[in-house]
Each structure stands twice: as C-alpha cells, then as structure tokens.
Amino acid sequence: MTELSPTLLDPPASDPDEGRYHYHVMRRAIEAVDATPQASLDELSAAIGLSPAHFQRIFSAWAGISPKRLGQYLALGHAKALLSDRFTTLETAHSVGLSGSSRLHDLFLRWEAMSPGDYARGGEGLVIREGWFQTPFGEGLALATDRGLCGLAFSEETGREAAIADMRARWPKARFVPDRDAVAPFIDGLFDGGEARLHLIGAPFQIKVWEALMRIPSGHVTTYSEVARAIGHPKAVRAVGTAVGRNPVSYLIPCHRALRKSGGLGGYHWGLPVKRAILAWEAARLERA
C-alpha cells in the first residue's frame, strides 16, 4: 500500500465559511445533551464554554432549529421515534435521484460500479486522488477516480492517519495521489443538495446493499433486515450489516439511515457520535422544508 503522504496530512488549503461548519461545537453539544437531556440554552452554552448568544448562532447556522428541538433529535431515543414515524419500505421508496418532496434534501446521484473482475484485482492500475475537506460533520477525506467520487471518510473520531489507512486498504493495488484540487469538483455542493457522481468500488453483494441504501429518503430510516429483504436475501442480515459497514462513501451512500430492528442505532464505521449528528442534521433539514 502507498505510504502516507506528508502533503495529504497537511491542513486544508483554506477554512470554509464560518457560518456553515461547526461540528466540533455540535459534538460537544451531543455530549452535553447526553449528560443533561433537559438542559436549558444557558446550561448547554455554559457546559460548552460559549456565551448563550454565540451558542445560539452556531446552532442556527448548523441546524436552523432551536437547541431544544435539536436536543430531541440528538437523544438516544430518537432512533426509535424515527423507526415509528419515518420508517421507509424500500420497495416503495423513490428511485435514486431527486424525485419528490420526501427527497427534497437528497442529492441527485449518478453512479456506476467497477466490474467484479476489476474489484477482485484490488484496484490495480487505478489512480485515486485524495484531499481533505471541511464538512458539516467535521473534517472529511475525499477520494476520486476520473469517473467519480469513490470514497468519503470522516476523521473526527478516528483521526486522520487511521482514516487514510482505512480507505487505502480497500484498494491496496491502486495508486494514491494527494491532489485536493482534482477532488474538489466532486465535493463542491454535496452538502447543499448538489449533484454527485460516484464510482462505486466493491463486491457485487456490497453494491446491491449500497444501491438499496440510496433509496432511503433523507430524514428517514430503515432497518438492516429491511435492506436484506429488499435485495432478495432476507436471511442475510448479518452479511448486510457487514456490507453497510464497508460503505466507502459516507453520507452519500446513507448507511447512517440503517438502524437495528429494535430501534438501536447499530454501528457506524466513523463513530456513533457522527451517525447521531448526521441523523439529527437531516431531521432538522426535513423539519425546515
């Protein structure tokens, strides 16, 4: 596998607009809400070390709803509420793409998959470019081939080096080139409802699972067992869970929308705090629609 490049580990070229990205504060807010679910704005802001006005401004920039309302979305019981109120049967979900009000905040996705033979060769002969970008959920590592985005990892819980090693290990024979400028066109606008072009690199079973995940509308959820049934393998729930966890393109292939049948969050490859933040962020966007 290619050695880690010092260039790739350098800080991003520039900081994004201050009003858009406040995941570090939101992560601390999640911890504060967990500790004191009924905390007031003053109590939450004090726990985080910000003035109430500044904390309110950051909340509004990130979520667009009140801290109290977002706290309800961040609560651990929110997963069960989602399964009750916004459960999606994949057979009746909209096809992939921007097609109806329930997918108002989804991306328009165009995707193609690597052939099984190419996948089996571990990405041999493939050039994958990499770059670090700021996202609403902290710093993200984006990877792209000439045909589209093939990887998106969040590093807030794992750290940069672990995220790089994780993504590169998926295609051990590919050539990795740090090139933020080349990746930027595939990332621009993704979190504002822009168009996404994906190049999915995975085994055939994984591709089926990822395609099913892309049918789940933003702000809604489904279960691992529902995904298994939708792809024609109702008894393969464990295998589906493994494929969900191997999703290389976080957020865009919405593995965060798959929950346990019991209402538990299940796992998330990039850390449960990130999964909870994404679900809360999407719920808030749907509420504002």
Side-chain angles (χ1 to χ4, degrees):
M1 187 171 63
T2 307
E3 293 183 0
L4 299 185
S5 164
T7 302
L8 189 59
L9 293 175
D10 285 343
S14 61
D15 291 330
D17 176 64
E18 184 184 359
R20 291 186 61 196
Y21 303 113
H22 298 287
Y23 179 73
H24 288 289
V25 174
M26 299 312 302
R27 183 171 180 266
R28 289 157 61 197
I30 293 173
E31 296 172 352
V33 168
D34 285 346
T36 52
Q38 304 302 320
S40 66
L41 173 62
D42 287 348
E43 290 169 332
L44 284 175
S45 60
I48 293 172
L50 299 175
S51 70
H54 186 51
F55 183 51
Q56 177 77 55
R57 183 177 69 82
I58 290 177
F59 249 96
S60 297
W62 193 81
I65 58 176
S66 70
K68 181 177 180 180
R69 183 63 172 157
L70 187 65
Q72 294 172 349
Y73 290 146
L74 291 172
L76 291 173
H78 180 52
K80 292 183 179 180
L82 280 174
L83 279 179
S84 175
D85 299 335
R86 297 180 183 174
F87 173 75
T88 292
T89 301
L90 295 180
E91 289 180 352
T92 61
H94 290 297
S95 60
V96 174
L98 190 63
S99 55
S101 59
S102 66
R103 296 184 65 88
L104 181 63
H105 294 297
D106 273 11
L107 296 162
F108 180 78
L109 291 173
R110 293 186 294 128
W111 66 276
E112 58 179 308
M114 174 179 282
S115 70
D118 287 339
Y119 170 72
R121 288 190 285 273
E124 186 175 4
L126 195 66
V127 176
I128 298 179
R129 293 176 171 81
E130 310 162 300
W132 288 100
F133 298 84
Q134 291 296 328
T135 82
F137 316 108
E139 193 175 48
L141 173 66
L143 302 91
T145 69
D146 291 338
R147 293 156 66 182
L149 197 69
C150 65
L152 179 61
F154 297 118
S155 64
E156 295 299 321
E157 302 297 321
T158 65
R160 275 189 166 200
E161 292 197 29
I164 295 169
D166 184 299
M167 298 305 290
R168 290 184 177 183
R170 297 166 188 255
W171 313 293
K173 297 182 181 179
R175 182 163 67 92
F176 294 88
V177 179
D179 191 344
R180 189 178 189 276
D181 290 342
V183 180
F186 296 104
I187 289 293
D188 289 345
L190 287 188
F191 297 96
D192 295 319
E195 181 175 333
R197 181 155 57 95
L198 303 183
H199 183 195
L200 300 187
I201 304 174
F205 182 84
Q206 292 174 327
I207 297 292
K208 284 185 178 181
V209 171
W210 301 341
E211 182 182 9
L213 291 173
M214 288 191 286
R215 298 191 195 120
I216 308 171
S218 179
H220 295 68
V221 296
T222 196
T223 62
Y224 297 105
S225 57
E226 172 67 16
V227 173
R229 188 174 67 83
I231 65 172
H233 296 276
K235 296 182 179 180
V237 177
R238 186 179 296 273
V240 164
T242 299
V244 169
R246 293 297 294 167
N247 164 29
V249 190
S250 300
Y251 177 76
L252 305 184
I253 300 175
C255 54
H256 57 277
R257 298 175 193 162
L259 307 177
R260 290 176 178 165
K261 198 171 184 178
S262 64
L265 282 174
Y268 190 63
H269 194 75
W270 306 112
L272 283 179
V274 177
K275 181 173 185 173
R276 291 174 64 196
I278 296 175
L279 288 172
W281 189 76
E282 288 187 336
R285 284 163 65 89
L286 188 63
E287 179 176 306
R288 300 202 315 265

